Amino acid sequence: MTRSRSTDGRVCTEQPTPPATVHDVDTDLVGAVDRTLGGYLAERTADADRLDPDFSAATGELRTFVLSGGKRVRPTFAWWGWRGAGGGDDAAGPDDAETVTSVLRVVSALELIQACALVHDDLIDGSAVRRGEPTLHTAFTTRHAGMRWEGVPERFGLAAAVLLGDVALAWADDLFLSSGLTPPQLGAAIEPWRAMRTEMLAGQYLDVITQARADESVDAAVRIDQLKTAAYTVGRPLHLGAAIAGGSPELLAAYRSFGADIGVAFQLRDDLLGVFGDPAVTGKPTGEDLREGKRTVLLALALVEADRTGRHADAALLAGVGQPDLGEREVAELSALLVDLGAVAAVEQWIIERTSTALAALEAAPIAEPAATRLAELAVAATVRKR
Amino acid sequence: MTRSRSTDGRVCTEQPTPPATVHDVDTDLVGAVDRTLGGYLAERTADADRLDPDFSAATGELRTFVLSGGKRVRPTFAWWGWRGAGGGDDAAGPDDAETVTSVLRVVSALELIQACALVHDDLIDGSAVRRGEPTLHTAFTTRHAGMRWEGVPERFGLAAAVLLGDVALAWADDLFLSSGLTPPQLGAAIEPWRAMRTEMLAGQYLDVITQARADESVDAAVRIDQLKTAAYTVGRPLHLGAAIAGGSPELLAAYRSFGADIGVAFQLRDDLLGVFGDPAVTGKPTGEDLREGKRTVLLALALVEADRTGRHADAALLAGVGQPDLGEREVAELSALLVDLGAVAAVEQWIIERTSTALAALEAAPIAEPAATRLAELAVAATVRKR
């Protein structure tokens, strides 16, 4: 990608990349999403620069954050949701490039919603590191301290993170609105777009209040997974793609069922990684979820078992997670306890069952190829054991 | 407004109010906006309740906040912007009610953007009181403390305020998207809608970084006013209304010029109220802006004058504003200083000049009645002296 730079070194514009075909995107979806986001954020940063250079410097940080990684999970499900509902099948005509560009813009907008979710979530959790880099509020706190500005550095970090998360959410809607969908496509897309954003925020709020209440039930943990992952990450992106392609009610039902199962399985795998994962892979220190006191299904199952078998000391240990200063040794002890109480095995079993049900729903549904195969592969890839 | 209640006392639905005519809205705009917001937030709270009752309890707080007041300034400018561009003039036909409902929904959506701005701004500033009531983050902090939940109450308050501000921003876009505008109207509205949200966030960020840098220049204060008030509060709402009505480029230019002048005048009046205002009118304690250390044009002008005349002790006093524990006596001293240095008189003069220029722009423009008269009245009402 060629970039032109202004005299002060800021990137101002980006030369347009040639329009992609359906086949191009099918074979390099992550690359296509990255290029779409890169082009859009370059435009919006140039806009921001016309308003004020301090503001564009801040949105530049947001842009770097969005472009610096992420697996583009939600755009991937949305794209294959569209393809599986027949989107792009009759795409040899002159409208091909235009349609592909519009759909790519819509699915890429999901990453901006996710940027808002991550920036605000890191602030809420007080997390210092994300993908091996300082989180946004931490970076702005450090900048304030380094510049010896007035006031409390942490409050500046908070302000910047709140506002840049808002920018990401507003720009997500702007990208969706200006995607170039036809009026009927846009009309059909409104319902999943609306539901998805509210479900994400509901899941985040439940996560916060569940921790505040120290609600350690399996039910509460599953409910959060259903909103944050099953609906927001898998089900609604598939729904969005299918709606744009005019998918049948039968197909939507299959996607919903698939999303519910695979989303929960996916989150259960993430819970295991949050305790046992390799920092080089997860970008977070080992045992981070234990330090944060995250109320996961994994933890809830261990607690049920400790209570059932009268292991009160172990139950108290588990209920007490959430010390930010937990050392390596305590993390290792707690991890061993989760294995010992059978919670790890139970979660692995649950992942297998949910994945099987999800694959069966896929099998039975009228999903076009190559999407059916790709969705099955995604389901497996997202849920198999990996450390 | 009739409300039906579910068995547990939560409000679930609201009976639809009869559709309004253009004349109804012209004569009771604030009432029409309140009813539109009330109906929409009732629907969305019911949605939220289907997701989770804890979440709907939280969004219920947001709903109360939105419905409990505010002068509906932005919807007012947007409505008259639409009317002044000829919107609603040919409204005797069968489409009347439908068009009015759509436009009302769009202009009401501006109040949800404003709810996000206020909730996040109060969190950023650490303000405890708004419109005489606890701010949202304070209310959730108090609730956490009262319930003796786990963790730090202030962090729960922060989390709730971040997420509910996000909900308001997402719902603003949902209301805009589902307003029922025709595709050409929606297409025309996208540009002001997009620009307005980014300009608001740019203004908020500049406000924060200007305080951090202790930048006391008149320029910095004016730049913030241009973004936060001239563009976001007046100019873009007028632009939005005009775009929906298909207003001419000439009219848009007049609105832009009017918005720039009246918006700054409006903010200057607000700055005076922030120091000298009656708490019963402003809903904030007297001298609140001095406690917050808000970098206003008023303060900047006083500083310039103190520096120019070598009143170094006074300059130091003014530069040191921003102590949350400032007593009544210090507030009175600082207020007297602002008068004594001529800053109050200069700001009053500036307000008069800006208002005159704005009224002249209005006069010269092809604005339909009764909008031209109403906009002139609004300009005067928003900027005249009041304590």
Side-chain angles (χ1 to χ4, degrees):
Chain A
M1 198 160 6
T2 324
R3 285 174 175 171
S4 73
R5 284 174 181 275
S6 68
T7 47
D8 64 353
R10 267 194 308 273
V11 177
C12 282
T13 56
E14 216 149 316
Q15 295 192 0
T17 46
T21 65
V22 170
H23 178 76
D24 292 341
V25 185
D26 278 358
T27 49
D28 181 18
L29 179 47
V30 170
V33 168
D34 283 347
R35 281 186 293 277
T36 304
L37 286 169
Y40 184 67
L41 291 173
E43 269 172 44
R44 299 310 302 267
T45 305
D47 270 4
D49 204 46
R50 277 188 290 274
L51 293 179
D52 188 90
D54 281 325
F55 182 58
S56 70
T59 63
E61 296 289 318
L62 174 67
R63 180 186 171 193
T64 304
F65 175 77
V66 172
L67 298 181
S68 71
K71 285 167 294 189
R72 314 303 184 203
V73 176
R74 292 157 195 87
T76 299
F77 279 115
W79 175 263
W80 290 112
W82 180 67
R83 297 281 287 119
D89 275 358
D90 48 358
D95 293 343
D96 181 20
E98 216 169 292
T99 306
V100 171
T101 302
S102 301
V103 174
L104 261 179
R105 285 168 74 90
V106 171
V107 307
S108 299
L110 298 176
E111 283 296 295
L112 294 176
I113 297 177
Q114 177 63 2
C116 168
L118 294 178
V119 169
H120 283 176
D121 200 37
D122 285 339
L123 172 67
I124 288 169
D125 291 344
S127 307
V129 175
R130 152 93 53 196
R131 298 178 192 153
E133 296 286 330
T135 50
L136 222 55
H137 67 100
T138 309
F140 278 84
T141 298
T142 305
R143 180 164 157 71
H144 185 285
M147 303 292 282
R148 298 169 181 278
W149 281 341
E150 295 259 314
V152 182
E154 284 72 18
R155 291 207 69 85
F156 181 74
L158 178 155
V162 166
L163 295 173
L164 289 173
D166 291 351
V167 168
L169 189 55
W171 289 6
D173 275 293
D174 290 335
L175 182 51
F176 175 72
L177 259 170
S178 66
S179 55
L181 290 184
T182 64
Q185 286 170 333
L186 187 66
I190 285 177
E191 160 65 11
W193 183 258
R194 183 192 63 67
M196 179 183 51
R197 282 145 53 259
T198 297
E199 284 160 359
M200 180 272 278
L201 292 163
Q204 301 277 66
Y205 182 75
L206 278 193
D207 204 353
V208 168
I209 200 169
T210 301
Q211 286 197 43
R213 282 200 183 124
D215 179 349
E216 282 134 3
S217 66
V218 178
D219 271 6
V222 168
R223 214 157 40 144
I224 294 167
D225 291 354
Q226 280 166 344
L227 288 167
K228 278 180 76 163
T229 320
Y232 165 60
T233 305
V234 187
R236 292 298 181 185
L238 286 169
H239 183 179
L240 180 67
I244 295 170
S248 67
E250 190 191 353
L251 179 71
L252 287 182
Y255 276 170
R256 192 155 44 234
S257 161
F258 172 80
D261 283 323
I262 227 50
V264 169
F266 180 34
Q267 185 56 51
L268 293 173
R269 173 60 62 207
D270 207 54
D271 292 348
L272 289 171
L273 289 172
V275 176
F276 301 95
D278 178 350
V281 176
T282 63
K284 295 193 291 188
T286 308
E288 186 68 359
D289 282 1
L290 298 174
R291 276 187 207 91
E292 284 180 10
K294 207 166 148 191
R295 258 56 200 173
T296 60
V297 171
L298 175 67
L299 187 68
L301 287 172
L303 262 166
V304 167
E305 184 63 12
D307 282 337
R308 197 184 63 80
T309 54
R311 293 169 62 168
H312 302 300
D314 290 343
L317 257 178
L318 291 168
V321 298
Q323 279 83 38
D325 56 352
L326 218 60
E328 268 182 47
R329 191 176 162 172
E330 286 109 324
V331 167
E333 273 173 22
L334 282 163
S335 307
L337 202 51
L338 292 171
V339 175
D340 189 41
L341 284 161
V344 173
V347 167
E348 291 283 4
Q349 183 59 32
W350 205 343
I351 293 173
I352 290 169
E353 284 168 12
R354 290 272 186 157
T355 308
S356 309
T357 322
L359 291 173
L362 213 56
E363 192 85 11
I367 299 170
E369 286 294 358
T373 302
R374 285 297 293 133
L375 285 172
E377 287 167 2
L378 283 169
V380 173
T383 57
V384 291
R385 184 193 301 255
K386 59 204 156 201
R387 294 266 158 93
Chain B
M1 201 159 4
T2 324
R3 285 172 173 172
S4 72
R5 284 174 180 276
S6 67
T7 47
D8 62 354
R10 267 195 308 274
V11 176
C12 281
T13 57
E14 215 149 317
Q15 294 190 0
T17 45
T21 64
V22 169
H23 178 75
D24 292 341
V25 184
D26 278 357
T27 49
D28 181 20
L29 179 48
V30 170
V33 168
D34 283 348
R35 281 186 292 279
T36 303
L37 287 169
Y40 184 68
L41 291 172
E43 270 173 42
R44 300 309 301 268
T45 306
D47 270 5
D49 203 46
R50 279 189 288 276
L51 293 179
D52 188 89
D54 282 324
F55 181 58
S56 69
T59 62
E61 297 288 320
L62 174 68
R63 182 187 168 192
T64 304
F65 175 77
V66 172
L67 297 181
S68 70
K71 284 167 293 186
R72 315 303 184 203
V73 176
R74 292 156 196 87
T76 299
F77 280 114
W79 175 264
W80 290 113
W82 180 66
R83 297 281 285 120
D89 275 357
D90 48 355
D95 293 345
D96 181 20
E98 217 168 293
T99 306
V100 170
T101 303
S102 301
V103 174
L104 262 179
R105 285 168 74 89
V106 171
V107 307
S108 299
L110 298 176
E111 283 295 294
L112 295 175
I113 296 177
Q114 178 62 2
C116 168
L118 295 178
V119 169
H120 283 176
D121 199 37
D122 285 339
L123 173 67
I124 287 169
D125 291 343
S127 307
V129 175
R130 152 96 50 198
R131 297 177 194 152
E133 296 285 330
T135 50
L136 221 57
H137 67 99
T138 309
F140 278 83
T141 298
T142 305
R143 181 163 157 71
H144 185 286
M147 303 292 282
R148 297 170 181 277
W149 280 341
E150 295 259 313
V152 181
E154 283 74 16
R155 291 207 68 83
F156 182 73
L158 179 156
V162 167
L163 295 172
L164 288 173
D166 292 350
V167 168
L169 189 56
W171 288 6
D173 276 295
D174 290 337
L175 182 52
F176 175 72
L177 259 170
S178 67
S179 55
L181 290 184
T182 63
Q185 287 171 332
L186 188 67
I190 285 177
E191 160 65 10
W193 182 259
R194 183 193 64 66
M196 178 183 51
R197 282 142 56 257
T198 297
E199 283 159 359
M200 180 272 279
L201 292 163
Q204 301 277 66
Y205 183 75
L206 278 194
D207 205 354
V208 167
I209 201 169
T210 300
Q211 286 199 45
R213 283 201 183 123
D215 180 347
E216 283 134 4
S217 66
V218 179
D219 271 5
V222 169
R223 212 158 42 145
I224 294 167
D225 291 353
Q226 280 165 345
L227 288 166
K228 279 179 77 163
T229 319
Y232 165 60
T233 304
V234 186
R236 291 300 181 184
L238 285 170
H239 183 179
L240 180 67
I244 294 171
S248 68
E250 191 191 351
L251 180 69
L252 287 182
Y255 276 170
R256 192 157 42 237
S257 162
F258 172 79
D261 283 323
I262 229 46
V264 169
F266 182 33
Q267 184 57 52
L268 293 174
R269 174 60 60 208
D270 207 54
D271 292 349
L272 288 171
L273 289 173
V275 176
F276 301 94
D278 178 350
V281 176
T282 63
K284 296 193 291 188
T286 307
E288 186 68 0
D289 282 3
L290 298 174
R291 277 187 205 91
E292 284 180 9
K294 208 166 148 188
R295 258 56 201 173
T296 61
V297 171
L298 176 67
L299 187 67
L301 287 172
L303 262 166
V304 168
E305 185 61 13
D307 282 339
R308 197 184 64 82
T309 53
R311 293 169 63 168
H312 302 301
D314 289 344
L317 256 179
L318 290 168
V321 299
Q323 278 85 37
D325 55 352
L326 217 60
E328 269 181 48
R329 190 175 162 175
E330 287 109 324
V331 167
E333 273 173 23
L334 282 164
S335 306
L337 202 50
L338 293 172
V339 176
D340 189 43
L341 284 162
V344 172
V347 167
E348 290 284 4
Q349 183 57 33
W350 205 342
I351 293 173
I352 291 169
E353 284 168 11
R354 290 273 186 156
T355 307
S356 310
T357 322
L359 291 173
L362 212 55
E363 193 86 8
I367 299 170
E369 285 294 358
T373 302
R374 285 297 292 132
L375 285 171
E377 287 166 2
L378 283 168
V380 173
T383 57
V384 290
R385 184 192 300 256
K386 60 204 156 204
R387 293 270 157 92

